[in-house]
Amino acid sequence: MSILTAYNSLQPPQRRSLGSLLVIGLSFWISITNLLPTLPTYIRELGGTRSQIGLVMGSFAIGLLCSRTSLGYLADKKSRKLVLSIGIIVAGLAPLGYLLINSVFPLIAVRAIHGVSIAAFTTAYSALVVDLSPIKQRGELIGYMSLVNPIGMSIGPALGGALKEFSGYPALFITSAIFGFLGLSLLFSIPEKSCVNQPKNTFSQGNSRNFKQMLSSHSLIIPALILLMIGLLFGSLITFLPLFLEETDLGFSAGWFYTTAAIASFSSRIFSGPASDRYGRGPLITVSLICYFVAMILLTQATGGRQVLLAAIFEGIGAGTLLPMMIALISDRSSSYERGRVYSVCLGGFDLGMAFAGPLVGSLGSHLSYQTIFTFTGSLALVAFVLFISQSNYNFQTSFSFALGKEKDLYAFDD
């Protein structure tokens, strides 16, 4: 089923709501990503050292980690749209904070607050998409709606670099703020399920669980652990890949790597969503983890641009398949009344990995070669793969069958 066919098969209110969400998501990710190549240079021009640049950029994860849980609870108990509006407003205000502050250390606070926007937006956006999607098209629509990320990633950095080059930082930050606020006007037209008449907090299918029950639930903790390992891998990759390519002179820039990965990610999301509705989430997640492993092995063996290009393609396929399929998987395993908190637990694993990747692997990086670092990150993908095929369902046999698409997800809810 093509994107247009899937869109036209929906009821008119669903089409309008998902269309509005698509525009909101695209403007949000353009706002976020146009600062990726420009904010570090802005901090350097303010007099920041390399360590201070890393501190400011890394503080983004502080706000993300500290707010994810409470925002997930708010999305379930109060309103998805309220949490989404928080993400949009913070994404619009934070660039103005960068513009008004002219010293390094106060930017740490602004950057941490900016991290709240990601936690709020991704939690509420994913929950709203699932709420508005028919169950039989859930994976497909999650895949299509997640395209805003690679599209935003392909537009944002290029736009930010051009604005900085030709118009300067004030124009850059103002443009980022405009894109951040852009989705606010469309938000009010999107309906959402009532969060008032929720079932009592008892552990049964269709009822909401508290955080302790979620953290002790085998159905959720395994996806969270897998995302933790991939978060460590991805965080290490974005930290060391530019240095590796610059120092080894393989004839392939980090910019081209990210562009290639974004194209591969875009392509994989188009096909993986419909495939997961037909064949199950398991085979797609299995393939994505293998792709991550292959990408890291290619980087350890890279002697020229061809291997790096292939690594970028495999990494893009892995990223473009794993995250939407994990969102679909944990959506299947949760009721609509607890989805915000479930996302905060499982996606919090990825956040945690990203936050600790720099300090953890960086502390080892001064003593290890880049090839050894990529071998370590490849081993994380391999462990995640083994964990998924052996522990993703009730026991080894059902997990292995689910990972190969021969068994349904026994943890899936009906709603």
Side-chain angles (χ1 to χ4, degrees):
M1 185 180 288
S2 67
I3 296 177
L4 287 178
T5 304
Y7 184 74
N8 289 330
S9 69
L10 300 172
Q11 296 296 320
Q14 291 174 308
R15 290 202 297 267
R16 288 193 295 271
S17 297
L18 289 173
S20 295
L21 272 178
L22 199 68
V23 176
I24 291 170
L26 185 58
S27 64
F28 176 85
W29 286 112
I30 291 175
S31 171
I32 294 292
T33 58
N34 72 2
L35 298 177
L36 289 180
T38 52
L39 193 56
T41 59
Y42 176 69
I43 300 167
R44 184 178 61 192
E45 290 189 17
L46 292 179
T49 63
R50 286 188 179 182
S51 62
Q52 290 171 340
I53 292 172
L55 185 61
V56 173
M57 297 301 290
S59 61
F60 192 86
I62 297 173
L64 200 159
L65 283 169
C66 292
S67 62
R68 174 80 81 175
T69 299
S70 58
L71 289 167
Y73 183 87
L74 187 63
D76 287 334
K77 294 297 183 182
K78 295 295 182 181
S79 167
R80 320 277 206 221
K81 288 169 61 175
L82 173 61
V83 175
L84 193 67
S85 66
I86 291 172
I88 292 171
I89 291 169
V90 174
L93 289 176
L96 301 179
Y98 300 133
L99 177 64
L100 297 174
I101 292 174
N102 296 315
S103 57
V104 174
F105 286 103
L107 287 179
I108 295 174
V110 178
R111 188 66 177 161
I113 293 171
H114 205 173
V116 175
S117 66
I118 293 281
F121 188 88
T122 55
T123 297
Y125 182 87
S126 299
L128 279 169
V129 169
V130 173
D131 289 346
L132 292 166
S133 300
I135 294 176
K136 292 183 179 180
Q137 292 177 263
R138 180 178 287 170
E140 181 179 20
L141 290 171
I142 289 174
Y144 293 156
M145 294 297 289
S146 71
L147 289 173
V148 294
N149 188 289
I151 295 174
M153 180 67 76
S154 64
I155 296 173
L159 176 64
L163 285 169
K164 175 209 160 191
E165 186 70 24
F166 298 107
S167 302
Y169 288 109
L172 166 68
F173 293 135
I174 291 171
T175 301
S176 180
I178 291 172
F179 273 104
F181 283 124
L182 194 59
L184 202 58
S185 60
L186 295 173
L187 183 60
F188 301 103
S189 64
I190 300 173
E192 64 177 332
K193 293 182 179 180
S194 173
C195 296
V196 177
N197 299 317
Q198 296 187 13
K200 292 182 180 180
N201 192 24
T202 57
F203 182 75
S204 62
Q205 181 163 308
N207 290 351
S208 61
R209 293 163 280 186
N210 58 37
F211 282 108
K212 184 178 179 180
Q213 289 171 323
M214 290 177 188
L215 289 171
S216 62
S217 171
H218 185 266
S219 66
L220 300 179
I221 199 63
I222 297 302
L225 288 174
I226 291 170
L227 287 172
L228 171 65
M229 284 180 274
I230 298 304
L232 282 167
L233 182 154
F234 187 70
S236 302
L237 185 67
I238 62 175
T239 300
F240 291 103
L241 179 72
L243 300 174
F244 168 68
L245 295 177
E246 184 178 310
E247 294 179 19
T248 52
D249 192 24
L250 296 176
F252 204 91
S253 69
W256 277 113
F257 185 97
Y258 294 134
T259 299
T260 304
I263 294 171
S265 174
F266 180 93
S267 303
S268 68
R269 288 170 196 250
I270 291 177
F271 297 106
S272 62
S276 78
D277 287 331
R278 183 173 181 179
Y279 302 108
R281 321 298 187 206
L284 278 300
I285 295 173
T286 301
V287 169
S288 69
L289 294 171
I290 293 173
C291 286
Y292 268 119
F293 176 72
V294 171
M296 295 302 102
I297 296 302
L298 285 168
L299 288 176
T300 65
Q301 304 297 317
T303 57
R306 184 177 180 180
Q307 291 98 325
V308 181
L309 174 65
L310 287 172
I313 293 171
F314 277 102
E315 195 277 332
I317 295 172
T321 304
L322 180 68
L323 293 178
M325 289 306 97
M326 276 297 190
I327 290 173
L329 180 73
I330 60 181
S331 297
D332 294 341
R333 296 179 174 189
S334 58
S335 72
S336 59
Y337 301 109
E338 62 179 2
R339 232 158 245 151
R341 284 164 289 166
V342 167
Y343 292 156
S344 72
V345 169
C346 295
L347 298 181
F350 188 81
D351 300 339
L352 197 62
M354 285 279 291
F356 282 99
L360 177 63
V361 184
S363 63
L364 303 173
S366 58
H367 308 290
L368 302 174
S369 66
Y370 291 116
Q371 285 77 11
T372 304
I373 292 173
F374 294 138
T375 300
F376 168 72
T377 55
S379 69
L380 290 173
L382 185 60
V383 171
F385 167 77
V386 172
L387 185 64
F388 184 73
I389 65 172
S390 64
Q391 298 294 320
S392 59
N393 248 267
Y394 282 169
N395 52 45
F396 179 84
Q397 183 178 352
T398 57
S399 296
F400 191 76
S401 297
F402 172 65
L404 296 181
K406 296 180 179 180
E407 179 95 49
K408 291 184 178 181
D409 185 4
L410 300 180
Y411 284 123
F413 285 12
D414 294 328
D415 71 325

